[in-house]
Amino acid sequence: QVQLQESGPGLVKPSGTLSLTCAVSGGSLSNSDWWSWVRQPPGKGLEWIGEINHSGSTNYNPSLKSRVTISVDKSKNQFALNLNSVTAADTAVYYCAREVSGSYFDSWGQGTLVSVSS
Amino acid sequence: EIVLTQSPGSLSLSPGERATLSCRASQSVRSSYLAWYQQKPGQAPRVVIYGASTRATGIPDRFSGSGSGTDFTLTISRLEPEDSGVYYCQQYGSSRWTFGQGTKVEIK
């Protein structure tokens, strides 16, 4: 069973860049799966941020597209999220997840809380 | 963008009762791309149903999914205390995923 683990700073200053990494174990990024980032503001619902596949093809949520970059590092079996120009509205638990056959997410990381504050 | 609207926002039922959760889409959704997730406090979501009606591995048979087009339903036939949580529907279309706003299920 594949396992995912998010890592990165828990506090980011306003106007700065949020950078997270998702390490994948028990499976390889170098297959046909897609890999996603999802976030959840405190007490609110889930918001999909974007996805990437093993070859680096990406799709992003249109509402975040201008600020988001997702990249993959196959040598380290991990993928990353960069979100720039952050504000307090970007405070959330950030999850990485694996997509199965483009139809659902079967594996999730435990999530990491990122707060945007000075 | 396809918007998913879930109803009710919350429900409180007793063990053994039946829960019916609705997910309505603003445009037609391919059934193969409709999933339901359960989320408990402090935990990541867990898939319950995918392909609109297929139970995920390890999900009890009291969970069932149905629907097509723009109307989908998650039914929990006999509620157990461990079924409490927030349930989200999710769909994939036009190279993007969207989630419903969630239905909170409380077991009395």
Side-chain angles (χ1 to χ4, degrees), chain A residues 43-64:
Chain A
K44 296 188 177 181
L46 303 166
E47 179 181 33
W48 177 71
I49 299 170
E51 63 184 356
I52 191 167
N53 70 2
H54 67 287
S55 63
S57 296
T58 55
N59 293 303
Y60 298 125
N61 186 327
S63 68
L64 298 169

Side-chain angles (χ1 to χ4, degrees), chain A residues 5 7 20-25 27-30 35 37 52-53 70-81:
Chain A
Q5 178 67 59
S7 61
L20 297 173
T21 298
C22 181
V24 179
S25 59
S28 174
L29 277 172
S30 299
W35 308 83
W37 286 98
I52 191 167
N53 70 2
I70 297 175
S71 58
V72 64
D73 186 337
K74 288 186 287 186
S75 68
K76 295 183 178 179
N77 215 37
Q78 63 187 31
F79 60 107
L81 168 70

Side-chain angles (χ1 to χ4, degrees), chain B:
Chain B
E1 173 182 318
I2 296 178
V3 176
L4 300 178
T5 301
Q6 294 186 237
S7 61
S10 64
L11 65 165
S12 180
L13 296 168
S14 298
E17 289 193 301
R18 181 186 192 93
T20 302
L21 286 64
S22 172
C23 176
R24 181 160 293 177
S26 59
Q27 303 172 43
S28 186
V29 172
R30 289 180 61 177
S31 295
S32 57
Y33 292 153
L34 194 287
W36 291 91
Y37 296 83
Q38 175 195 63
Q39 187 180 34
K40 294 181 176 291
Q43 296 183 19
R46 175 178 72 150
V47 64
V48 174
I49 297 287
Y50 64 89
S53 61
T54 302
R55 273 190 307 277
T57 302
I59 300 301
D61 62 6
R62 62 180 181 273
F63 287 85
S64 64
S66 64
S68 63
T70 59
D71 288 297
F72 298 87
T73 300
L74 174 68
T75 302
I76 311 172
S77 59
R78 300 170 305 278
L79 281 165
E80 299 279 350
E82 61 266 28
D83 299 334
S84 65
V86 180
Y87 291 80
Y88 296 93
C89 58
Q90 175 205 43
Q91 71 84 35
Y92 183 78
S94 301
S95 299
R96 68 193 69 164
W97 297 89
T98 55
F99 291 91
Q101 83 278 19
T103 291
K104 184 176 183 178
V105 175
E106 177 192 65
I107 312 299
K108 294 177 182 176

Side-chain angles (χ1 to χ4, degrees), chain A residues 1 3-4 11 16 18 43 50 62 65 69 71 82 84 93 101 117:
Chain A
Q1 176 73 1
Q3 293 186 318
L4 296 87
L11 181 64
L18 181 159
K65 187 173 184 177
T69 302
S71 58
N82 279 335
N84 60 36
V93 174
S101 303
S117 174

